[in-house]
Amino acid sequence: MTTPTAPTDRSLPVSDILSPLHAEHVALGATLTSFAGWQMPLRYAGDLAEHVAVRTAAGLFDLSHMGELEITGPQAAAALDYALVGDLTALDVGRARYTMIVEEDGGVLDDLVVYRLAPASFVVVANASNVHVVRAALAERLVGFDATMVDASLTTALIAVQGPRAEEIVASVTDPADRAAVIGLAYYTATNATVSGIAALVARTGYTGEDGFEMFVPAEHAVELWRDLLAAGAPHGLVPAGLSARDSLRLEAGMPLYGNELDRTTTPYDAGLGRVVRLTKTAPDGSPLPFVGRAALAARHTSEPARVLVGLEGLGRRAARHGYDVLTGTAADAPVVGHVTSGAPSPTLGHPIAMAYVTPEVSAPGSALAVDVRGRREPVRVVRLPFYRRAR
């Protein structure tokens, strides 16, 4: 188990939980930051170098702050069908699904990845900042089902290798008996495998827009795997990468971040993710299957949106940031038509990019708008998401 200990950096809250890889991050000279109650690496050598390494070679991420909630029992699938917006009964063993947990009014409590490990065994991976919210909601929603939940967040380490060289690197630390199964994983599938001599759940998933793997291992073995991956990946250009690079990578890939593009005031449809809501899921008798938020989401599905999540391509030099106003143009009296949710200079594309919620009438690709960047109105153009899509 990861034991909270007093941080050595007095700028960080003493209540922060330390990753099982904390000493490795300190030894590598990482800049640490408080994030969702954890001390995590913000960067090592530099944001740009880490971002470019993931796009061109590989990056190694410590994601141990994410939450892992294990749901097991004869009615585990039925319980998750009721608790989440997705159809988990239909999820095959060995596959993963991106889904969400919402309130009765359809507002998003968190976006999740759910793995089915066996017919009656699932792992729900929640954002670090929302683990307690998801755990509490699931505890309420599992009542009446023959299913139990165990929070394995503090006993599980999650390490990711992302980038075009990820397969070679992960394969090199995988037991030969499991190597073909790991290499053969399709996107959003997972398998049990031995990596660096450690029993792990290896998944072909990620949050960077690149090919990559995420490995769940017992926290006490995280250091062994981390060091082996660093050594195996060095000849391939792998570098450790922090939260800052992870954020710029996911922005280029058009992936939502809870607290930016998603929150309790936002439904999956608002965020352009209505595809994860399975209003078509049915009970064994063919009747519509009830789930938390169904009525509100069904109504939202057929109504006109009040706002639309769009991509903005910056035509100037200054990057928009979270919360900045979006306007109809650069004129002094141009009205506000939305707000930026995420924004940054794009290392891959070479110009500023942002995601924003805007009113529907200005949401068409090609629409010319502006963003108020600290009093200066920077021209932007609406573009389709994602900004970056890797070559296949």
Side-chain angles (χ1 to χ4, degrees):
M1 171 177 289
T2 306
T3 303
T5 57
T8 55
D9 183 341
R10 293 184 182 280
S11 67
L12 295 167
V14 294
S15 59
D16 276 354
I17 301 171
L18 303 185
S19 161
L21 295 166
H22 179 75
E24 304 300 302
H25 303 322
V26 172
L28 289 166
T31 299
L32 299 172
T33 187
S34 292
F35 183 80
W38 291 69
Q39 281 188 43
M40 297 302 294
L42 183 63
R43 66 180 63 85
Y44 302 84
D47 299 346
L48 179 60
E50 293 163 27
H51 183 110
V52 172
V54 175
R55 288 279 181 254
T56 60
L60 181 64
F61 295 86
D62 176 12
L63 308 178
S64 299
H65 58 304
M66 302 291 281
E68 291 86 16
L69 304 171
E70 299 172 351
I71 313 296
T72 58
Q75 292 186 303
L80 290 174
D81 277 345
Y82 172 71
L84 310 179
V85 301
D87 185 352
L88 284 308
T89 296
L91 184 64
D92 292 333
V93 172
R95 298 196 66 86
R97 177 160 295 168
Y98 177 75
T99 186
M100 294 184 186
I101 183 168
V102 304
E103 297 183 288
E104 286 286 3
D105 66 0
V108 178
L109 289 173
D110 201 12
D111 60 333
L112 312 163
V113 176
V114 178
Y115 297 86
R116 192 168 199 172
L117 310 184
S121 177
F122 296 80
V123 174
V124 176
V125 179
N127 285 298
S129 59
N130 287 330
V131 174
H132 63 292
V133 172
V134 176
R135 184 177 59 226
L138 286 178
E140 290 182 2
R141 299 176 190 187
L142 263 56
V143 173
F145 291 95
D146 187 359
T148 60
M149 175 173 61
V150 172
D151 186 348
S153 302
L154 293 182
T155 57
T156 302
L158 177 56
I159 298 173
V161 179
Q162 299 282 298
R165 309 298 297 272
E167 182 178 287
E168 299 163 77
I169 296 165
V170 172
S172 70
V173 302
T174 301
D175 188 283
D178 296 327
R179 197 167 292 156
V182 168
I183 292 174
L185 284 172
Y187 190 50
Y188 261 63
T189 62
T191 186
N192 291 312
T194 300
V195 289
S196 297
I198 305 161
L201 175 66
V202 180
R204 200 156 202 158
T205 50
Y207 191 57
T208 63
E210 296 297 334
D211 185 21
F213 297 82
E214 295 182 317
M215 288 157 277
F216 299 82
V217 297
E220 62 268 26
H221 294 303
V223 171
E224 303 161 54
L225 178 57
W226 176 268
R227 290 179 177 175
D228 278 0
L229 287 167
L230 272 180
H236 299 286
L238 175 140
V239 301
L243 294 179
S244 184
R246 181 172 161 83
D247 189 53
S248 57
L249 289 159
R250 73 93 194 164
L251 174 58
E252 286 186 344
M255 296 178 173
L257 176 66
Y258 197 89
N260 289 42
E261 285 73 40
L262 299 171
D263 59 29
R264 295 186 184 214
T265 71
T266 306
T267 73
Y269 294 106
D270 297 327
L273 295 168
R275 64 183 182 278
V276 308
V277 180
R278 301 300 171 90
L279 295 171
T280 56
K281 57 184 175 181
T282 56
D285 64 1
S287 62
L289 193 67
F291 63 89
V292 178
R294 177 168 194 140
L297 292 173
R300 173 64 185 81
H301 179 51
T302 56
S303 65
E304 292 298 320
R307 54 180 181 160
V308 178
L309 184 66
V310 299
L312 298 178
E313 176 187 59
L315 305 179
R317 296 178 58 186
R318 293 172 177 79
R321 301 291 183 180
H322 175 82
Y324 287 8
D325 288 343
V326 180
L327 311 110
T328 56
T330 57
D333 59 350
V336 175
V337 289
H339 297 91
V340 172
T341 52
S342 299
S346 167
T348 305
L349 303 175
H351 56 72
I353 57 173
M355 288 195 281
Y357 279 108
V358 300
T359 52
E361 60 271 19
V362 299
S363 64
S367 298
L369 301 172
V371 175
D372 188 332
V373 181
R374 298 187 300 277
R376 185 184 180 97
R377 301 193 168 197
E378 294 284 328
V380 298
R381 178 168 51 218
V382 176
V383 297
R384 296 187 188 281
L385 293 171
F387 301 102
Y388 165 84
R389 193 187 301 274
R390 71 181 171 91
R392 297 177 187 272

